[in-house]
Amino acid sequence: SQQGEEDPQALSIQEGENATMNCSYKTSINNLQWYRQNSGRGLVHLILIRSNEREKHSGRLRVTLDTSKKSSSLLITASRAADTASYFCATDPTSGSRLTFGEGTQLTVNP
Amino acid sequence: DGGITQSPKYLFRKEGQNVTLSCEQNLNHDAMYWYRQDPGQGLRLIYYSQIVNDFQKGDIAEGYSVSREKKESFPLTVTSAQKNPTAFYLCASSTSGTVMYYGYTFGSGTRLTVV
């Protein structure tokens, strides 16, 4: 079963704009992670945020986590055409030993 | 460079055939995973292994088999019992333990098509 659900399913923006993607989940987690997948390729790990953290930054990425609402958001600032990809959240549940992935947000950044 | 290698990149299977997808890692990771991805969808876990000579079924294990004889290798066999095998298959690895510090490292995938 898919623990994480991303919203929106698809997002199209202009280069230079910010992109925000959201993820909701259902059970208690140790951490939440975001991955990027370029078309036809494997996933690349972007950032991991622990359940006791509320915000984390990495370059142009900003991730927030609200465990009371069981939700997370990924913000990509000053987007570039090269950011065009699918973005997945993945949850590391306290009850299990492996990640569970959502269905992803397809981001298109138009030049 | 350390990483995960999946081969082949493209694979064609005839009806009734078994095929094996290769996954090799040189990251010294204990845990390895196989995921299936259908078009426009997320990843579904097929099998995972946290240690050599041990593996567990994931959410969609029917019609698949694996082995873990070496730490570096985790091949996936798609058997004739898998009725709809056409998909993109992704292998991943990670460190093991109760606390995860890093994410998974993924291979570049194998696209399997039934002909």
Side-chain angles (χ1 to χ4, degrees):
Chain A
S1 61
Q2 299 294 337
Q3 156 94 306
E5 294 184 4
E6 287 92 340
D7 168 58
Q9 288 188 328
L11 180 62
S12 181
I13 60 174
Q14 295 300 121
E15 212 165 22
E17 294 180 340
N18 295 343
T20 299
M21 288 159 269
N22 303 297
C23 171
S24 60
Y25 59 92
K26 297 175 182 174
T27 63
S28 296
I29 60 171
N30 295 312
N31 64 73
L32 185 144
Q33 303 174 29
W34 286 90
Y35 290 79
R36 183 188 73 231
Q37 183 182 34
N38 290 89
S39 181
R41 307 296 299 273
L43 277 70
V44 174
H45 181 254
L46 295 175
I47 198 164
L48 180 155
I49 185 166
R50 302 195 183 290
S51 60
N52 61 354
E53 297 176 305
R54 291 297 166 257
E55 186 170 315
K56 202 162 184 178
H57 296 254
S58 177
R60 294 185 295 112
L61 305 181
R62 172 178 169 252
V63 170
T64 61
L65 179 64
D66 186 335
T67 54
S68 67
K69 295 181 180 178
K70 291 186 168 57
S71 67
S72 173
S73 67
L74 170 67
L75 169 67
I76 303 174
T77 60
S79 63
R80 306 165 181 169
D83 294 328
T84 294
S86 292
Y87 291 82
F88 294 88
C89 70
T91 50
D92 176 22
T94 55
S95 60
S97 59
R98 63 294 200 307
L99 291 183
T100 305
F101 288 81
E103 296 193 353
T105 292
Q106 172 61 53
L107 173 66
T108 302
V109 181
N110 301 298
Chain B
D1 288 337
I4 296 186
T5 301
Q6 288 188 242
S7 62
K9 190 173 176 67
Y10 299 97
L11 186 57
F12 298 91
R13 191 194 93 168
K14 293 182 180 179
E15 296 280 355
Q17 247 183 1
N18 291 354
V19 292
T20 297
L21 284 61
S22 171
C23 179
E24 304 274 336
Q25 55 100 358
N26 61 2
L27 299 164
N28 200 33
H29 284 168
D30 288 313
M32 297 186 74
Y33 313 83
W34 274 106
Y35 287 90
R36 169 179 171 143
Q37 186 177 33
D38 292 285
Q41 298 190 25
L43 279 64
R44 291 185 289 169
L45 183 65
I46 305 172
Y47 269 99
Y48 65 103
S49 167
Q50 293 184 295
I51 197 168
V52 174
N53 292 322
D54 186 51
F55 48 83
Q56 308 293 328
K57 291 183 179 180
D59 300 317
I60 56 165
E62 185 175 350
Y64 300 97
S65 66
V66 293
S67 63
R68 187 86 187 276
E69 297 175 0
K70 298 187 298 181
K71 187 175 185 177
E72 302 78 17
S73 179
F74 191 40
L76 173 74
T77 297
V78 183
T79 75
S80 57
Q82 171 50 240
K83 298 306 177 189
N84 184 23
T86 294
F88 190 50
Y89 291 87
L90 287 161
C91 179
S93 70
S94 72
T95 55
S96 62
T98 54
V99 179
M100 184 179 282
Y101 293 100
Y102 307 103
Y104 288 8
T105 300
F106 279 83
S108 56
T110 292
R111 189 166 300 279
L112 174 62
T113 304
V114 173
V115 295

